[in-house]
Amino acid sequence: MFEKKPKAYFVYLLFRFSFSLLFSMATVLSTVYHLEVVRLNAFQLVLVGTVLETACFIFEVPTGVVADLYSRRRSVLIGMFLYGIGFLMEGALPWFATVLLAQVVWGCGDTFITGALEAWIASEEDGKPMDKIFMRGGQLGQMGSVLGVVSGTLLGNLNLQLPIIFSGVLCLVFGLVLVYIMPETKFSPALEEKQGTLQDIVSLFKLNLRFVKGAPVLLILLIITFCGGLASEGFDRLSTAHFLGDTVMPAFGPLNSVTWFGVISLMGSLIGIMVSELLITHMKKKGTVSRNGVVMFASAGYILCLILFAISRNFWFMLAVFLLAGLMRTVKEPVLAAWMNDHVEEKMRATVFSTSGQLDSFGQIIGGPIVGLAAQQVSVPWGLFCTAFFLLPALVLIPAAKKAGTK
């Protein structure tokens, strides 16, 4: 079909745009779908996220090792097809048990993509500034999210199952497109001599563990990622319930509760695009020396916004701090990924990035049930308030990472 594959950078940007569009379309109203169609309570709502993160935790490192051993491109393709199957299951069968199973399927798909995508583009574009590439990818992802939010909201107003099902179908179609256009020209297996899949996975995992232990800055950055996982699950799963149960969402013409969540996601994406452009300009001037400052500012801002969001009852104030909290995460994640990339050997990139994803999932597995029980037994705002404190250790670890990186 294609005589010559497009350049890796173009495919990376296309992937970030398209995947974000499809993911946003499926998830923009998923919490509303879980509350109003599947009829989940607060604890079940958080449990859905915990099952998802447990699947990510279990499969993250094995899939990352496979990407470093066999093919990062192949790993990304498998992930796209699993996403499609998982979304179709979740949207077509609105039962609690099926929703839980769907989290396992598309959660596994996420582990095939996480780590492999970053390692693939870092290898294909070796020598180029990864800060700019990751942030530009983040920008395209935000643009895709805007379209995904709009299309998901429009479809959701017709039927809350439609955007999830439609996204699943398009994930499968996009996976087929990637089969033809995604190049892989600079991959070399992490182990030259293979002794069997299971033994190779164990060998590379041990090698990765020794490497991380010998790189203090990388170890600290991975712990920061774990803290971020602890602090994200409650915010992701309970913020919608906080809006629906603890404030009055104003009605302006067609702006019902379903449409409001689409508008909120749209606003968050547009703000993220603009701030990302400013951040790219800032990083060009300051270089890598400003990374720790950006991560520190974003982490502290996220904690403050979480606390303010939890205690507020005024819709407009809640909306402002909710958008700021999301922005802080948008700013932090690509910079933290680029910081980590500079301390990883090429052959182990996918494994190390997958380890980062696994620690993020492990943090969400631990933090999710704690926050869910607090919300169930006390209140949703109390659960959100507790979430903010999980990220506090990062404020001490970020300066430590800077110090370790200069040795």
Side-chain angles (χ1 to χ4, degrees):
M1 183 181 293
F2 295 90
E3 295 182 2
K4 185 177 179 181
K5 294 182 185 296
K7 290 184 178 180
Y9 183 54
F10 169 80
V11 176
Y12 174 71
L13 295 182
L14 176 65
F15 182 94
R16 292 299 305 271
F17 175 83
S18 302
F19 179 76
S20 294
L21 188 157
L22 299 177
F23 185 82
S24 294
M25 183 191 300
T27 60
V28 62
L29 299 176
S30 62
T31 304
V32 181
Y33 166 70
H34 292 156
L35 287 168
E36 297 187 1
V37 178
V38 191
R39 300 292 182 184
L40 304 184
N41 59 39
F43 181 71
Q44 289 175 321
L45 199 62
V46 175
L47 187 61
V48 167
T50 302
V51 169
L52 171 62
E53 297 308 327
T54 301
C56 291
F57 175 74
I58 292 172
F59 294 109
E60 191 70 70
V61 167
T63 54
V65 171
V66 168
D68 278 337
L69 283 174
Y70 300 104
S71 169
R72 293 158 183 172
R73 172 184 177 273
R74 193 182 307 166
S75 185
V76 172
L77 294 175
I78 292 170
M80 280 306 306
F81 290 124
L82 286 175
Y83 255 107
I85 295 169
F87 283 153
L88 282 173
M89 289 176 59
E90 184 169 356
L93 304 170
W95 308 315
F96 179 50
T98 312
V99 169
L100 289 180
L101 182 59
Q103 308 310 300
V104 176
V105 175
W106 70 265
C108 181
D110 186 73
T111 66
F112 274 100
I113 295 173
T114 303
L117 181 68
E118 292 83 358
W120 169 76
I121 190 60
S123 296
E124 296 295 312
E125 299 292 329
D126 188 33
K128 296 183 180 179
M130 294 313 299
D131 296 89
K132 179 181 177 181
I133 289 175
F134 285 149
M135 283 188 284
R136 190 65 73 189
Q139 268 191 319
L140 267 292
Q142 292 287 343
M143 293 178 187
S145 292
V146 170
L147 291 181
V149 165
V150 172
S151 55
T153 303
L154 291 174
L155 289 171
N157 272 279
L158 298 175
N159 186 308
L160 285 170
Q161 293 173 261
L162 276 180
I164 305 175
I165 295 172
F166 195 49
S167 177
V169 172
L170 291 180
C171 280
L172 297 176
V173 173
F174 184 55
L176 291 174
V177 173
L178 287 175
V179 169
Y180 290 100
I181 70 170
M182 188 175 187
E184 187 169 46
T185 59
K186 298 182 180 180
F187 173 74
S188 58
L191 298 177
E192 294 182 3
E193 295 183 6
K194 296 184 176 63
Q195 301 174 324
T197 302
L198 184 59
Q199 199 167 355
D200 290 340
I201 289 174
V202 173
S203 297
L204 187 55
F205 179 74
K206 289 179 178 178
L207 183 65
N208 171 61
L209 195 60
R210 287 197 298 270
F211 175 73
V212 171
K213 285 182 177 179
V217 60
L218 189 57
L219 185 60
I220 296 171
L221 292 175
L222 289 172
I223 297 172
I224 293 171
T225 300
F226 170 72
C227 293
L230 285 172
S232 65
E233 185 67 6
F235 180 69
D236 290 339
R237 298 294 170 176
L238 297 178
S239 55
T240 299
H242 187 38
F243 273 117
L244 289 173
D246 298 312
T247 190
V248 177
M249 304 182 77
F252 299 115
L255 279 180
N256 53 31
S257 61
V258 172
T259 309
W260 255 120
F261 287 112
V263 171
I264 291 170
S265 295
L266 182 62
M267 292 169 66
S269 296
L270 292 173
I271 293 170
I273 292 169
M274 292 185 290
V275 173
S276 293
E277 188 62 37
L278 295 175
L279 186 58
I280 290 172
T281 303
H282 171 75
M283 297 294 284
K284 280 182 180 179
K285 293 179 180 178
K286 299 293 183 179
T288 59
V289 295
S290 64
R291 284 176 180 166
N292 67 293
V294 171
V295 176
M296 173 65 86
F297 174 81
S299 299
Y302 184 49
I303 292 170
L304 177 61
C305 290
L306 267 177
I307 294 172
L308 293 174
F309 180 65
I311 64 177
S312 60
R313 296 293 183 275
N314 178 271
F315 171 78
W316 298 108
F317 184 74
M318 285 173 64
L319 176 60
V321 292
F322 175 82
L323 292 173
L324 284 173
L327 178 62
M328 294 300 105
R329 289 168 66 177
T330 299
V331 166
K332 183 186 74 172
E333 288 170 2
V335 179
L336 189 62
W339 192 357
M340 192 178 300
N341 181 73
D342 280 354
H343 298 278
V344 179
E345 289 184 4
E346 197 281 327
K347 288 188 176 182
M348 291 189 292
R349 277 195 178 115
T351 306
V352 172
F353 276 116
S354 288
T355 301
S356 173
Q358 188 180 44
L359 286 172
D360 179 77
S361 297
F362 187 46
Q364 295 188 49
I365 291 167
I366 294 174
I370 295 173
V371 171
L373 285 172
Q376 185 77 5
Q377 298 299 320
V378 185
S379 67
V380 169
W382 178 247
L384 288 165
F385 189 76
C386 292
T387 297
F389 289 94
F390 285 137
L391 195 58
L392 284 175
L395 302 184
V396 177
L397 292 168
I398 293 166
K402 179 187 177 184
K403 185 177 180 181
T406 56
K407 291 183 178 180

